[in-house]
Amino acid sequence: MAEAVLASVPFDIARSSALDGVAHGFFGSAGGAHQFGFGGPGDPAQVAELRARAADALVAGAAVLTPHQVHSPDVTVATQPWDDAAEGRPTGDALVTATAGLAIGIVTADCAPVLLADREAGVVGAAHAGWRGAHGGVLENTVRAMEQCGAQARRIVAAIGPTIAQPSYEVDAPFRAQFAAGDAPCFAIAPMREGRERWHFNLPLYVRRRLEQAGVGAIDDCALDTHTLDQQYFSYRRASQRGDSNYGRQISLIALA
């Protein structure tokens, strides 16, 4: 899509009331017009321009910062801008900042985007919490990094953005076996398929439980299913089921004005 056309399509932004007063947004696909990931389809220069416009929509002139995501538990504390390009960004799956004018964020396509803020301390965070990252501790590490910047866990508010919902997320026995007995509430028995046991995994609930265990004071789940809301959000699982060769990403951003 030409840049002029992209610029004419308004952003589809979901926000959490729990983060009122904090510049933030979960940016959707706007019917497929907006693709925010360098790994997704489209010209990287146009992707970078779109991401810059998204940051500017939150805080005028803000620099957009996202990591090169690898489903890790790793967190970067951002203190200054870096080049928002397909190559050369810090590797990891969460960012934290106490610096005004930096719109930190992550891209997703079913995984949980989590935006966090301690308003009193002036510290914000953004985490990419797929099952693997959440299981590995990315959320706890994000809270710890925020605390090192002056935040307190009990004051942190976290919002879980558009994420694949439990009825859309079927998993098998090897997947289930990676979780502890205490995680049983996150699994619901699904019909057997191909003679094998199946479950539906509740990723938003699992993320909420990990945030609670990290001591986060308040948690809001936007309860938007990326898999079924196909006109609003990209979905890796939906694209895989359709046999698509690639898929888009939405972006979630938070900034200190």
Side-chain angles (χ1 to χ4, degrees), residues 11-68:
F11 286 122
D12 177 0
I13 310 174
R15 290 187 170 90
S16 167
S17 60
L19 289 173
D20 282 349
V22 181
H24 75 284
F26 300 99
F27 290 74
S29 72
H34 294 160
Q35 196 292 109
F36 294 97
F38 287 120
D43 175 44
Q46 285 195 6
V47 172
E49 172 62 23
L50 186 66
R51 289 154 63 105
R53 288 202 298 111
D56 192 66
L58 296 186
V59 175
V64 58
L65 304 181
T66 69
H68 174 67

Side-chain angles (χ1 to χ4, degrees), residues 139-151:
L139 297 166
E140 293 88 341
N141 289 352
T142 302
V143 172
R144 291 193 199 101
M146 292 179 69
E147 289 177 320
Q148 290 169 2
C149 293

